[in-house]
Amino acid sequence: MIRVQSEDFDIGDEIAIISNQKKNIGGICSFTGLVREFDLNNKIQTMTLEHYPGMTEKQLDKIEKEANNRWELSDSLIIHRYGRLKPKDKIVLVITASIHRKAAFESCEFLMDWLKTKAPFWKMEETDSGSHWVAAKSSDDLEVEKWSTKKK
Amino acid sequence: MIRVQSEDFDIGDEIAIISNQKKNIGGICSFTGLVREFDLNNKIQTMTLEHYPGMTEKQLDKIEKEANNRWELSDSLIIHRYGRLKPKDKIVLVITASIHRKAAFESCEFLMDWLKTKAPFWKMEETDSGSHWVAAKSSDDLEVEKWSTKKK
Amino acid sequence: MRILYFANFREKMGLSEEIIILPSNVSNVRLLVEWLSARNELSSTLFTDHELIRVAVNQEIVEFDTEINSDDEVAFFPPMTGG
Amino acid sequence: MRILYFANFREKMGLSEEIIILPSNVSNVRLLVEWLSARNELSSTLFTDHELIRVAVNQEIVEFDTEINSDDEVAFFPPMTGG
């Protein structure tokens, strides 16, 4: 399931919903992305996430299906927030459940790598020393490229 | 931090405690191991975890330190339960927090791989077709060996 | 044709979307980028460095040689930074 | 010497620990395993296949050539299955 929302979410609740299903789950991996306190040495005041409504949901749906094709998953969830956030606020949550722990780990990392470079979100940071759009990292491109060659 | 206990734990609470610290955390990875419903085609009634009190804590401490040496972690937590559990009960929780998502993912997977083969726990499954000690998987040995050659 | 702008494109253009009448010779993304770039100095700055431009046509990321027509929804934005 | 048994070792031996008087020639883990194996038929079954035996001396996993003395806490168990 995917959700794009401005509201916060509860990690424990989301994991509980997934684990309480009538499925033979062996392990659940989760990754939560947080707004950092500092960007280099600048204190972050706010981070505002802009996205492309419509396209975001389509892209998230697509990549969730891709993860479910590549790995044997019992369930998966992507929640991505947009709007104005503060340091320590949660930005994104990815949960993957599988009978095999490797499948849960790998698919969760795959989804996060993908979100970093392929989900239409942009981050505006307001820091002590002014505002700027967060630049994409070329290291993130490299991470996501690995998955196109890597076997499951 | 490590905890060896018979009581259940709350994943959301544990993640919240870690993320609410005054640290520059970018991402938090968690892995929760659950008692499965089925072992092959046999319905699992209970799973009883036996461990080696004293040694367990020592080994968990050691591997947590090792993870913190290998990766730049803001915090880490290992909770491992023992005693009589039912299907869907949580067995183990590993949480790793870092400014870098790769460090969080890799260290969490490292800790789980290590727990599978090096933590002194043993599992007795009671199924529809009788009781047996769960055999160690040679695939788990291979996973843990990867970390001795893999660079961080 | 409907054009959407996000992030620094929206900010610099001062608008989040516009409707343009597509000249008949602007048949793919590259030609559209060049056409936009030629409109004025501001556009020129934004649309010159192709490395910093990402384009979606009908909500799918596309390459610059993708053909377009006036019914398409085209969006311009910088490299994405989700997660 | 204090010997602890876990999992199938505890179950088959019918005890979780025992104190033994270590013969002076039993100076390492391999010799202890052979000595235990020779005690009776039950022990023989449990201690013959070394692949299925793991040994901890003073709560650290060790190899069979590790030296031991009567002050050590030695534990026998099958391959571990945590997590």
Side-chain angles (χ1 to χ4, degrees):
Chain A
M1 197 203 282
I2 66 134
R3 273 154 48 198
V4 181
Q5 61 187 47
S6 60
E7 312 84 61
D8 197 9
F9 48 80
D10 186 299
I11 305 168
D13 286 356
E14 301 298 343
I15 294 178
I17 289 167
I18 286 176
S19 64
N20 288 336
Q21 294 169 101
K22 271 278 157 224
K23 286 174 179 168
N24 198 23
I25 298 174
I28 298 179
C29 186
S30 83
F31 186 89
T32 310
L34 305 178
V35 180
R36 298 178 186 188
E37 299 263 2
F38 294 92
D39 181 6
L40 301 177
N41 287 321
N42 299 312
K43 178 94 185 67
I44 295 171
Q45 308 293 350
T46 65
M47 172 183 275
T48 304
L49 278 116
E50 178 172 338
H51 79 119
Y52 184 169
M55 179 170 166
T56 308
E57 290 81 356
K58 268 173 75 170
Q59 296 294 313
L60 264 48
D61 251 340
K62 209 159 89 176
I63 193 61
E64 193 195 28
K65 283 197 181 67
E66 177 65 24
N68 280 271
N69 285 338
R70 289 191 185 208
W71 290 278
E72 188 189 333
L73 300 182
S74 315
D75 205 352
S76 56
L77 172 71
I78 303 171
I79 303 179
H80 206 305
R81 293 176 71 188
Y82 59 86
R84 194 181 175 87
L85 304 177
K86 297 185 308 300
K88 300 217 163 301
D89 281 353
K90 303 180 211 100
I91 303 170
V92 62
L93 174 65
V94 171
I95 303 177
T96 51
S98 175
I99 189 161
H100 305 295
R101 81 179 181 285
K102 284 287 147 193
F105 269 116
E106 288 185 8
S107 57
C108 193
E109 196 167 359
F110 167 82
L111 288 168
M112 279 305 305
D113 282 350
W114 191 91
L115 287 170
K116 286 275 167 189
T117 57
K118 309 280 190 191
F121 286 93
W122 303 276
K123 293 168 179 163
M124 159 69 86
E125 269 180 12
E126 206 182 324
T127 74
D128 282 348
S129 66
S131 295
H132 65 274
W133 290 98
V134 175
K137 285 188 287 184
S138 54
S139 61
D140 284 334
D141 282 330
L142 293 175
E143 291 301 340
V144 86
E145 268 177 29
K146 277 201 234 155
W147 295 105
S148 48
T149 50
K150 205 184 271 184
K151 283 201 224 75
K152 57 175 259 180
Chain B
M1 198 205 283
I2 66 133
R3 274 155 47 198
V4 181
Q5 61 188 47
S6 60
E7 311 85 61
D8 197 9
F9 49 80
D10 185 300
I11 304 167
D13 286 355
E14 301 298 344
I15 293 178
I17 290 166
I18 286 176
S19 63
N20 288 335
Q21 294 170 101
K22 272 277 155 224
K23 286 176 181 169
N24 198 22
I25 296 174
I28 298 180
C29 187
S30 83
F31 186 89
T32 310
L34 305 178
V35 180
R36 299 178 186 188
E37 300 263 2
F38 294 92
D39 181 4
L40 301 177
N41 287 320
N42 300 313
K43 178 94 185 68
I44 295 172
Q45 308 293 351
T46 65
M47 172 183 275
T48 304
L49 278 117
E50 178 171 337
H51 79 119
Y52 183 169
M55 178 170 169
T56 309
E57 291 81 356
K58 267 173 76 169
Q59 295 295 311
L60 262 49
D61 252 340
K62 207 158 92 176
I63 193 60
E64 193 195 27
K65 284 200 179 65
E66 176 66 24
N68 279 272
N69 284 339
R70 289 191 185 209
W71 290 277
E72 189 189 331
L73 300 182
S74 315
D75 205 352
S76 56
L77 173 70
I78 303 172
I79 304 179
H80 206 305
R81 293 176 70 189
Y82 59 84
R84 194 181 175 85
L85 304 177
K86 295 185 310 300
K88 300 216 162 303
D89 280 352
K90 305 181 211 96
I91 303 170
V92 61
L93 174 66
V94 171
I95 302 177
T96 52
S98 175
I99 190 162
H100 305 295
R101 79 178 183 288
K102 285 287 146 193
F105 269 116
E106 288 184 8
S107 58
C108 192
E109 196 167 357
F110 167 81
L111 287 169
M112 279 305 305
D113 282 350
W114 190 91
L115 286 171
K116 286 276 166 187
T117 57
K118 310 279 190 192
F121 286 93
W122 303 276
K123 292 167 178 163
M124 159 69 86
E125 268 179 14
E126 205 183 323
T127 74
D128 282 348
S129 66
S131 296
H132 65 275
W133 290 97
V134 175
K137 284 189 288 183
S138 54
S139 62
D140 284 333
D141 282 330
L142 294 174
E143 291 302 337
V144 87
E145 268 178 29
K146 277 201 234 156
W147 295 105
S148 47
T149 49
K150 206 183 270 186
K151 283 200 225 75
K152 57 175 259 182
Chain C
M1 171 181 282
R2 191 170 170 227
I3 306 192
L4 309 180
Y5 301 105
F6 292 99
N8 63 324
F9 284 82
R10 177 186 51 70
E11 207 176 45
K12 294 249 175 69
M13 297 289 287
L15 47 85
S16 58
E17 76 176 83
E18 64 174 327
I19 307 289
I20 62 159
I21 308 297
L22 198 66
S24 59
N25 62 327
V26 177
S27 57
N28 69 25
V29 169
R30 175 167 290 104
L31 294 167
L32 175 62
V33 168
E34 283 164 10
W35 184 79
L36 288 166
S37 174
R39 282 207 295 185
N40 56 49
E41 209 173 311
L42 169 71
S43 295
S44 165
T45 322
L46 259 176
F47 288 97
T48 299
D49 188 350
H50 294 190
E51 287 293 305
L52 299 178
I53 306 177
R54 295 293 179 274
V55 188
V57 173
N58 300 325
Q59 308 189 345
E60 294 286 345
I61 301 289
V62 297
E63 301 297 324
F64 275 35
D65 55 5
T66 302
E67 290 187 12
I68 50 174
N69 66 62
S70 56
D71 295 336
D72 291 330
E73 172 181 300
V74 178
F76 290 99
F77 41 78
M80 295 158 277
T81 56
Chain D
M1 170 180 283
R2 190 168 169 232
I3 306 191
L4 309 179
Y5 301 104
F6 293 98
N8 64 322
F9 284 81
R10 177 186 52 69
E11 208 176 45
K12 294 249 174 69
M13 297 290 286
L15 47 86
S16 58
E17 76 178 83
E18 62 175 327
I19 307 290
I20 61 159
I21 308 297
L22 198 67
S24 59
N25 61 328
V26 176
S27 57
N28 69 23
V29 169
R30 175 167 289 103
L31 294 167
L32 175 61
V33 168
E34 283 164 9
W35 184 78
L36 287 167
S37 174
R39 281 208 295 184
N40 56 48
E41 209 173 312
L42 168 73
S43 296
S44 165
T45 321
L46 260 176
F47 288 96
T48 298
D49 187 352
H50 293 190
E51 287 293 305
L52 300 178
I53 305 177
R54 295 293 178 277
V55 188
V57 173
N58 301 325
Q59 309 190 345
E60 294 286 346
I61 301 290
V62 298
E63 301 297 325
F64 274 35
D65 55 6
T66 302
E67 290 187 12
I68 50 174
N69 67 61
S70 56
D71 295 335
D72 292 329
E73 172 180 300
V74 177
F76 289 100
F77 41 78
M80 293 158 278
T81 57

